[in-house]
Amino acid sequence: MAATIKDVARESGVSVCTVSRVLNNTYRNKVSEETRQRVLDVSKKLGYRPSLIARGLKGKTTNLVGLVVPDIAASFVANTLMGIQSVAEDYGYSILVYATLGNPQKDIDYLRILQEKRVDGILWLPLNQPIHEVFEEVANDLHVLQIYNHLEGLKAPALLVNQFKGGYMATDYLIKKGHQRIAHFSAANVTDMHGVQRLTGYKEALKTHNINPDEQIIIETGYHWDGGYKAAERLLKLPAKKRPTALFASTDMVAWGAIKRFKQAGLSIPDDIAVVGYDDIYIADKIDPPLTTISQPKEKLGQVAMDIMLQAISGEPMTSMLFDPELIVRCSS
Amino acid sequence: MAATIKDVARESGVSVCTVSRVLNNTYRNKVSEETRQRVLDVSKKLGYRPSLIARGLKGKTTNLVGLVVPDIAASFVANTLMGIQSVAEDYGYSILVYATLGNPQKDIDYLRILQEKRVDGILWLPLNQPIHEVFEEVANDLHVLQIYNHLEGLKAPALLVNQFKGGYMATDYLIKKGHQRIAHFSAANVTDMHGVQRLTGYKEALKTHNINPDEQIIIETGYHWDGGYKAAERLLKLPAKKRPTALFASTDMVAWGAIKRFKQAGLSIPDDIAVVGYDDIYIADKIDPPLTTISQPKEKLGQVAMDIMLQAISGEPMTSMLFDPELIVRCSS
DNA sequence: CTGTTAGCGCATTCAT
DNA sequence: ATGAATGCGCTAACAG
């Protein structure tokens, strides 16, 4: 189908080798200008494109990096991917994307496939699931960098955002604003450790300021809007003196759901109850009131991840890294 | 680094060929059970993984499909990618993802690279930009399927969603609700034809019902929240009798911005002014009031796109297709 | 300045 | 039932 280097060689009456030299500019000026031009012309005429896969077979690297994540449509993942892409591009690298939908079997499958594809490295957003053996095998073969999460007991580098600190910052900020009763809507399920880390940060901040956490206003809500809405309802049923004056939600969506419910109950935000979210989703500033939240360096993390991967590929060791989240103060607090 | 088929062969004292047979189950039962087991064991012990790139070089297909889009973080793109991924996976295909950020030069670069990677096909979301020559060359070499948009004059199949119809449906719905003065916030820029098609649908619906479009309430706003907010302000300055009773916005975000401004002016939605958006972004039902909007089959389109691509790869011709959008009625209208 | 040769990892005739 | 030989497209020593 596609023209090969042989076709070009035959058509221009030179050897395959000369064609390769011309096209790759190896041994510059070691090919006569005349031959050079002829090869170039024929190559263009035939629409010749070198096969990167043949090159990959020959050489040591495929210029491919795999990305394995639970869900591409999760906005922070998409943003991270954009970051990865932007630096990958500069170095002639391409990204192979896989979504596991939280199914650990797929993590295994994809890691395997990527290995077979001979990618130069894998960026992996693991959930807290038992696939250590496979991982070890794969990581033994190529560079694997964990992002956002890391599996306990895996001696593999990870690029993380300090979720504990995020939880701490949000809570500490509210306390310093004068709040003493601060509720927390958590998403502390077992497969994603972020929620429990944020929760831990929350408790630590309370402790630092000598406030006893009250389990009555720490509610498991999951990640979604509805969870926040319903949990807010529970808060509203509390006797007045038990009611919190502030809320730290584990997710912007949860915060939003809660805000909605609070407003329906006639409460005003932030006067009656202050709210801080987490994630800085792209519509956080459009919520009414604009949401104070914790922001993670999404694109940045993607860029750095790819940078580190590139370095690893060129032989340097990979380093783990811990990013700090950032408090974005808006009007909801 | 990684073990090759040779290593396995040597280690298990058989020929490369036999290993290949065992691992691929070719000529079933033509290999003695004993040899078979030995090969399998050694293979596992060495952690052998066949190189798909060698296989790709040998064979005719690489099991790779490229995806070129302006922006992965755009939510409808991410959803489409999920659809693509889900079927690709079932057929052992992998997706190479590229974002052009609207830069036509990158469309060219990526198309080229993908060609060199010898992908089996490309799913391409083109903007309305002049890269026809390159496209023709690439498409001559492998399957290219346009999605969401199609370039004028390109004899290449496309999977589209009927934007005209979406605009028509939204407007027609509002008219049937009794509205006579319906504003439109458009995003009719030249690189993305969706906006103009929606606008055209809007005008056509008006015409069908014998309503003259009033350019005064057709405002170019772009895609973003701010555009809607500001345009709403212009509407509010209109003398009362000139003011529209309904708005069809080219984007949910624009609709949301407008709603915000209307509410600030003390108007109630939908009583004072009904609003219909476009896209059905995932938070459309969380807006206050929940937004009536036009929904596109995002994941579905991705799935079908990949299906068609797979068919094309297996030799059948590709067919264009036009999906219908759907009106989702919520409370804002 | 240019061509010959070999080899990357694998699947596939064709022999044995 | 198994092995030797070949070729996929390309690059890189090595010759000439």
Side-chain angles (χ1 to χ4, degrees):
Chain A
M1 193 106 290
T4 77
I5 197 173
K6 266 189 186 170
D7 300 324
V8 178
R10 186 173 351 95
E11 189 81 5
S12 41
V14 299
S15 78
V16 173
C17 168
T18 301
V19 175
S20 173
R21 280 200 277 255
V22 170
L23 265 28
N24 296 310
N25 254 308
T26 19
Y27 296 117
R28 213 177 268 273
N29 299 328
K30 292 290 191 173
V31 174
S32 77
E33 193 49 35
E34 183 196 332
T35 314
R36 185 183 161 68
Q37 266 314 323
R38 189 148 30 91
V39 169
L40 253 23
D41 290 348
V42 171
S43 164
K44 173 165 287 182
K45 194 185 81 185
L46 262 42
Y48 169 71
R49 292 280 131 190
S51 162
L52 259 27
I53 93 142
R55 216 175 254 174
L57 178 55
K58 175 69 181 170
K60 183 76 192 56
T61 117
T62 53
N63 285 37
L64 242 37
V65 164
L67 174 69
V68 180
V69 294
D71 181 7
I72 304 152
S75 75
F76 82 99
V77 172
N79 284 311
T80 307
L81 176 48
M82 289 299 286
I84 293 170
Q85 236 270 240
S86 73
V87 358
E89 178 194 348
D90 293 342
Y91 293 86
Y93 265 77
S94 302
I95 310 299
L96 238 20
V97 178
Y98 295 86
T100 67
L101 299 175
N103 178 350
Q105 182 55 45
K106 295 208 172 170
D107 277 295
I108 295 181
D109 294 346
Y110 292 150
L111 251 31
R112 286 290 193 212
I113 292 178
L114 253 9
Q115 182 182 193
E116 297 184 351
K117 294 256 185 216
R118 294 293 187 269
V119 297
D120 296 333
I122 299 181
L123 300 174
W124 184 33
L125 169 22
L127 295 183
N128 195 29
Q129 285 157 337
I131 65 161
H132 293 57
E133 318 76 45
V134 175
F135 171 83
E136 298 288 1
E137 282 183 37
V138 174
N140 189 30
D141 220 66
L142 38 74
H143 310 285
V144 180
L145 178 60
Q146 302 179 87
I147 58 176
Y148 286 107
N149 250 330
H150 76 295
L151 259 36
E152 213 59 53
L154 228 54
K155 51 181 181 319
L159 236 57
L160 305 175
V161 182
N162 197 331
Q163 305 295 331
F164 170 86
K165 193 162 186 173
Y168 188 97
M169 283 166 63
T171 312
D172 181 67
Y173 163 77
L174 286 169
I175 295 172
K176 287 183 174 151
K177 274 275 196 178
H179 296 281
Q180 288 284 320
R181 271 189 77 69
I182 303 171
H184 178 49
F185 289 177
S186 81
N189 74 73
V190 284
T191 60
D192 181 343
M193 296 307 288
H194 289 185
V196 334
Q197 290 158 5
R198 291 171 197 176
L199 170 61
T200 310
Y202 158 82
K203 286 186 172 169
E204 183 64 23
L206 293 183
K207 192 172 163 194
T208 303
H209 293 276
N210 295 311
I211 302 176
N212 280 327
D214 176 359
E215 292 297 335
Q216 218 177 149
I217 54 175
I218 298 178
I219 304 178
E220 173 64 34
T221 57
Y223 283 112
H224 304 300
W225 194 93
D226 293 335
Y229 186 90
K230 284 174 192 150
E233 205 154 272
R234 280 178 53 188
L235 250 32
L236 289 169
K237 285 184 187 144
L238 256 30
K241 64 197 95 174
K242 284 277 190 183
R243 217 183 267 174
T245 63
L247 163 66
F248 164 45
S250 198
T251 280
D252 284 350
M253 285 304 280
V254 168
W256 193 8
I259 286 177
K260 172 76 178 184
R261 188 64 191 82
F262 290 145
K263 280 163 60 177
Q264 280 180 348
L267 299 186
S268 115
I269 322 270
D271 297 333
D272 295 322
I273 184 162
V275 178
V276 175
Y278 207 114
D279 275 349
D280 195 28
I281 55 179
Y282 78 107
I283 50 119
D285 63 330
K286 306 299 190 297
I287 294 174
D288 183 34
L291 189 62
T292 294
T293 189
I294 301 289
S295 170
Q296 314 198 45
K298 301 174 277 261
E299 277 216 39
K300 182 64 183 296
L301 190 142
Q303 292 170 3
V304 174
M306 193 61 206
D307 275 334
I308 292 184
M309 181 53 74
L310 254 13
Q311 287 194 6
I313 292 169
S314 68
E316 294 164 52
M318 286 197 285
T319 52
S320 287
M321 217 170 206
L322 188 57
F323 288 87
D324 278 340
E326 186 188 354
L327 176 70
I328 310 274
V329 177
R330 297 206 181 88
C331 311
S332 69
S333 63
Chain B
M1 193 104 286
T4 76
I5 195 171
K6 266 189 186 169
D7 300 323
V8 179
R10 186 172 353 96
E11 189 80 4
S12 42
V14 299
S15 77
V16 172
C17 166
T18 301
V19 177
S20 174
R21 280 199 277 255
V22 171
L23 266 27
N24 296 310
N25 255 310
T26 19
Y27 296 115
R28 217 176 265 272
N29 299 331
K30 291 289 191 173
V31 174
S32 77
E33 192 50 35
E34 184 197 332
T35 314
R36 185 184 161 67
Q37 266 314 323
R38 189 149 29 89
V39 170
L40 251 25
D41 290 347
V42 171
S43 165
K44 172 165 288 183
K45 195 185 78 184
L46 263 42
Y48 169 71
R49 294 280 131 190
S51 161
L52 258 29
I53 94 142
R55 218 175 252 175
L57 178 55
K58 177 71 182 167
K60 184 74 193 59
T61 116
T62 54
N63 285 36
L64 242 35
V65 163
L67 174 69
V68 180
V69 294
D71 182 6
I72 303 151
S75 75
F76 82 98
V77 172
N79 284 311
T80 307
L81 176 47
M82 289 299 287
I84 293 170
Q85 234 272 245
S86 73
V87 357
E89 176 192 350
D90 293 341
Y91 294 87
Y93 265 77
S94 302
I95 310 299
L96 237 21
V97 178
Y98 294 86
T100 66
L101 298 174
N103 177 349
Q105 181 54 46
K106 296 208 171 168
D107 277 295
I108 295 181
D109 294 345
Y110 293 149
L111 252 30
R112 286 290 193 212
I113 292 177
L114 253 10
Q115 183 182 192
E116 298 185 350
K117 294 258 185 214
R118 294 294 186 268
V119 296
D120 295 334
I122 299 180
L123 301 174
W124 183 34
L125 168 24
L127 296 183
N128 195 29
Q129 284 156 337
I131 65 160
H132 292 56
E133 317 78 43
V134 175
F135 171 84
E136 298 288 1
E137 282 182 37
V138 174
N140 190 32
D141 220 67
L142 38 75
H143 310 285
V144 181
L145 178 60
Q146 303 179 84
I147 57 175
Y148 285 107
N149 249 332
H150 76 295
L151 259 35
E152 211 61 54
L154 228 53
K155 51 181 179 322
L159 235 58
L160 305 176
V161 183
N162 196 333
Q163 306 295 332
F164 170 86
K165 193 163 186 174
Y168 188 97
M169 284 166 64
T171 312
D172 181 66
Y173 163 77
L174 286 169
I175 295 171
K176 286 180 174 153
K177 274 276 195 177
H179 296 281
Q180 287 284 319
R181 271 190 76 69
I182 302 172
H184 178 48
F185 288 176
S186 80
N189 73 73
V190 284
T191 60
D192 180 344
M193 296 307 288
H194 289 184
V196 334
Q197 290 158 5
R198 291 171 196 175
L199 170 61
T200 310
Y202 158 82
K203 286 186 173 171
E204 184 64 22
L206 293 184
K207 192 172 162 192
T208 303
H209 293 275
N210 294 311
I211 302 176
N212 281 326
D214 176 359
E215 292 297 335
Q216 217 176 149
I217 54 174
I218 299 178
I219 304 180
E220 173 63 34
T221 57
Y223 282 114
H224 305 301
W225 194 93
D226 293 335
Y229 186 89
K230 283 176 193 151
E233 204 154 273
R234 279 178 54 186
L235 249 33
L236 289 168
K237 285 184 186 144
L238 255 32
K241 64 195 98 176
K242 283 279 191 181
R243 219 183 265 174
T245 63
L247 163 66
F248 164 45
S250 198
T251 279
D252 284 350
M253 285 304 280
V254 168
W256 193 8
I259 285 176
K260 171 77 177 184
R261 188 65 191 83
F262 290 146
K263 280 164 58 179
Q264 280 180 347
L267 299 185
S268 114
I269 321 273
D271 297 333
D272 295 322
I273 183 162
V275 178
V276 175
Y278 207 114
D279 274 349
D280 195 26
I281 55 179
Y282 77 108
I283 49 119
D285 63 330
K286 305 300 189 298
I287 294 175
D288 181 33
L291 190 62
T292 293
T293 187
I294 301 291
S295 169
Q296 315 198 46
K298 299 175 278 259
E299 278 217 41
K300 182 64 183 296
L301 189 141
Q303 291 170 3
V304 174
M306 193 63 206
D307 275 336
I308 293 184
M309 180 55 71
L310 253 13
Q311 288 195 5
I313 292 169
S314 69
E316 293 165 52
M318 286 198 285
T319 52
S320 288
M321 216 170 206
L322 187 57
F323 289 87
D324 277 340
E326 187 187 354
L327 175 71
I328 311 275
V329 176
R330 297 207 181 88
C331 313
S332 68
S333 63

